[in-house]
Amino acid sequence: MSRETAVKSHPLDPLLRADRLPHIWCPGCGLGSIMACLSSAIAASSIPAEKHVIVSGIGCTGRVAGYMKLDSFHTTHGRAIPFATGLKLANPELEVTVVSGDGDLFAIGGNHFIHAARRNIDINVVCVNNFNYGMTGGQAGPTTPVGARTSTTPQGATEPTFNLPLLAATLGAVFVARWTSLHVRQLEKAMSRVMEKDGFSFIEVLSPCPVGFGKSNDIGDGLDEMSMYRRNGVVSHDADLTEAGIDMKHDSPIVLGNFRDVERPALGVRQ
Amino acid sequence: MTTAAPAAHVLTGQHFMNGDLACAEGALAAGCTFFAGYPITPSTEIAERLARRLPEIGGTYIQMEDELASMAAILGASWTGVKAMTATSGPGFTLMMENIGLGMMTETPCVVVDVQRGGPSTGLPTLVSQADVMQAKWGSHGDYEPIAYAPASPQEMFDYTIKAFNAAERYRLPVFVLADEAVGHMTERVTIPEPSEIVLAERRRPDLPPGDGWLPYGVGNDLVPAMARAGDGYAIHVTGLTHDERGYPVVESQVHERMVRRISRKVQMHAPQICEYEKIMTDDAHVIVIAYGSTARAARSAVLAAREKGIRAGMLRLITLWPFPAGAIKDLANVVRRFVVAEVNLGQVAREVERYTRSPVNWVNHAGGTMLTPEAILRGIVQVKP
């Protein structure tokens, strides 16, 4: 029997820059699955692919823009949201999705996030939260849980963290969800929903970073962290978001769900 | 490609307006339909005018949360095919440097107006300075060649805002209008011509349809790539990382060398078309005063006063500060014996002039807060009189 590999095209190939693969992400990273969810949501979207635009900042998640065969903008650190704001306001026909990391969106880019949510600019923001700065080798950021060891918190992190869904909802985001790279069906559905929705939508996606975070925090490799999401994940769409903070302890629940889906007059909406 | 100005945007006629307002009207006449900014003295009147005028013509005005965001927003807007602008002063110009670098690296046409005030830091918020000249050249990290115009009157705020848009569209980069507080707040007659008399440049579009192998950063002899719009189906990738002709990131020194040399060279090779200056009584001059922006107005009076004293003085008024008009200075250096550089900073252009002449250069300057007086410049001329 021949041992030829049958190379078939993948249904998402038209949305990926296959000539740029393989990607740079580490084994066990959740970004590949998350990019597949985004691609599937775009493929299923009623908006033509050429009107979808991906904007990202800097970091591992920032590289998503470069792998998607769409108009894609890899901007400066923290500035994906204001760049996306310019795109969307100048051409409301575009469906603009920002995909970036927790450090990019909430440390260096935090001010832009709060103002974009306040304005209710019609963009989608997907924050891939891996609890650390992965690209630069695992430093602490504003989502690093208290006690977590990173290269810049060798004794354990001491600063309180952002609870991202609570923050987004408080600021007025019209759609707020949290899923993980394990919950691919729910994540894809949430992404489809925000592409239909007018206004500022926010999805937090938890993602393993075994190299930068998992190994040094007694979580293990990517699959171990995915097991933790399955074991500790509690889907509660009506959750009290003030109770939805994450500490990534082995016995702590991780609250997941589509927490908010409301209407509010939005800026930059397609006519 | 060139077109005439959009008739509905142009307030043809005689006006009595300050330089900031003239700048806003120049932007509209140039076809600007997008402004993102953050209020800062002494540029705020530009934003105020556009907040009222842009909605009248179907354009977009947005006040962003800071200058980092303002600069990012105009870059994003430019990629939809519109002409976009922001306006600021020193502290905001400093914040914009980050995304000015992104604009240089991604070759994104747009206009940044810096109405200079006294610095460093908060400095003299309401008072004049010309101390951002070198920041315009070197402010963002890495190598690039900027284009910067220094208008000397409200009329020139109008005229050179249009020229800044044209240069941005032709050469694909953020272009600076390096105004100063005196010019921004001075009120004078401004003549706005008929739309048909205003010639506008438009960026070149891809000459192939999507999917036909068009290279987003492929160039011809003029070294300026054509530019696709987001939403047109080209699936462009635009990154601040070093990239190849496809726009794909490449971590290789040869690719970096090629691209950084090209984005500098595309401006350098067009410097003869870009550079503008005015020569006043230079033919028989022994002493040349070099000045720009509002200071050129005092320098002109000083040169006339020197002539009355029998001193053969002339003047080179710089309009383009970047690319620096080195050729004009070298030519004059062959025939004149002395230079006086008058400016409201501690020698930013004087030092640059010294690079192009062996003749003595007298620095006449102060750190900012008031214009240089004609008397101060005249003293500088008399000191060096051969």
Side-chain angles (χ1 to χ4, degrees), chain A residues 17 19-20 50-51 53 63 65-77 79 81-91 94 108 111-113 115-116 118-119 121 267, chain B residues 34 60-66 68-70 72-80 82 98-99 102 106 108 229-241 246 248-249 251:
Chain A
R17 296 182 198 274
D19 54 348
R20 290 213 58 219
E50 66 264 24
K51 298 298 177 198
V53 179
R63 296 305 185 98
Y67 297 126
M68 304 219 41
K69 200 195 268 179
L70 299 167
D71 291 326
S72 51
F73 296 89
H74 179 229
T75 67
T76 37
H77 198 17
R79 317 299 168 219
I81 287 176
F83 192 101
T85 300
L87 275 164
K88 181 65 176 170
L89 283 178
N91 184 359
L94 301 174
I108 191 165
N111 196 35
H112 309 306
F113 183 89
H115 287 279
R118 170 184 63 78
R119 283 184 192 110
I121 174 84
L267 193 62
Chain B
F34 189 96
T60 303
Y61 168 90
I62 183 161
Q63 185 167 314
M64 298 299 288
E65 51 273 20
D66 56 31
L68 303 162
S70 303
I74 66 166
L75 295 181
S78 178
W79 278 98
T80 71
V82 306
E98 174 194 63
N99 286 312
L102 180 65
T106 56
T108 307
R229 293 185 301 197
D232 279 357
Y234 287 93
I236 44 175
H237 183 55
V238 176
T239 176
L241 286 167
R246 297 170 298 176
Y248 289 3
V251 190

Side-chain angles (χ1 to χ4, degrees), chain B residues 189-237:
Chain B
R189 180 208 295 268
V190 174
T191 303
I192 299 184
E194 295 287 339
S196 59
E197 292 165 16
I198 301 171
V199 177
L200 302 183
E202 307 289 336
R203 63 192 78 167
R204 207 153 44 79
R205 300 258 173 241
D207 51 6
L208 291 173
D212 251 358
W214 174 70
L215 288 171
Y217 287 97
V219 293
N221 290 336
D222 73 349
L223 303 187
V224 182
M227 188 169 173
R229 293 185 301 197
D232 279 357
Y234 287 93
I236 44 175
H237 183 55

Side-chain angles (χ1 to χ4, degrees), chain A residues 18-131:
Chain A
D19 54 348
R20 290 213 58 219
L21 299 174
H23 57 62
I24 61 163
W25 298 317
C26 305
C29 173
L31 275 163
S33 314
I34 295 164
M35 189 166 73
C37 291
L38 182 63
S39 305
S40 300
I42 290 169
S45 147
S46 61
I47 300 156
E50 66 264 24
K51 298 298 177 198
H52 280 274
V53 179
I54 306 297
V55 185
S56 63
I58 298 299
C60 294
T61 310
R63 296 305 185 98
V64 167
Y67 297 126
M68 304 219 41
K69 200 195 268 179
L70 299 167
D71 291 326
S72 51
F73 296 89
H74 179 229
T75 67
T76 37
H77 198 17
R79 317 299 168 219
I81 287 176
F83 192 101
T85 300
L87 275 164
K88 181 65 176 170
L89 283 178
N91 184 359
E93 293 305 308
L94 301 174
E95 181 63 28
V96 179
T97 302
V98 170
V99 187
S100 220
D102 45 305
D104 185 82
L105 288 167
F106 290 99
I108 191 165
N111 196 35
H112 309 306
F113 183 89
I114 67 176
H115 287 279
R118 170 184 63 78
R119 283 184 192 110
N120 203 22
I121 174 84
D122 183 20
I123 62 173
N124 318 310
V125 175
V126 177
C127 173
V128 178
N129 180 3
N130 60 10
F131 309 102

Side-chain angles (χ1 to χ4, degrees), chain A residues 4 103 147 184 198:
Chain A
E4 273 177 29
V184 290
D198 292 342

Side-chain angles (χ1 to χ4, degrees), chain B residues 141-161:
Chain B
H141 57 280
D143 284 303
Y144 56 91
E145 288 289 333
I147 298 174
Y149 296 103
S153 64
Q155 181 67 52
E156 286 196 350
M157 287 290 272
F158 178 86
D159 297 339
Y160 282 93
T161 300

Side-chain angles (χ1 to χ4, degrees), chain B residues 234-266:
Chain B
Y234 287 93
I236 44 175
H237 183 55
V238 176
T239 176
L241 286 167
T242 293
H243 46 269
D244 61 17
E245 283 72 14
R246 297 170 298 176
Y248 289 3
V250 180
V251 190
E252 270 178 34
S253 75
Q254 297 98 313
V255 174
H256 186 70
E257 166 77 10
R258 194 162 68 232
M259 97 150 272
V260 175
R261 284 236 186 244
R262 180 178 64 71
I263 62 172
S264 293
R265 186 84 192 108
K266 74 175 178 184

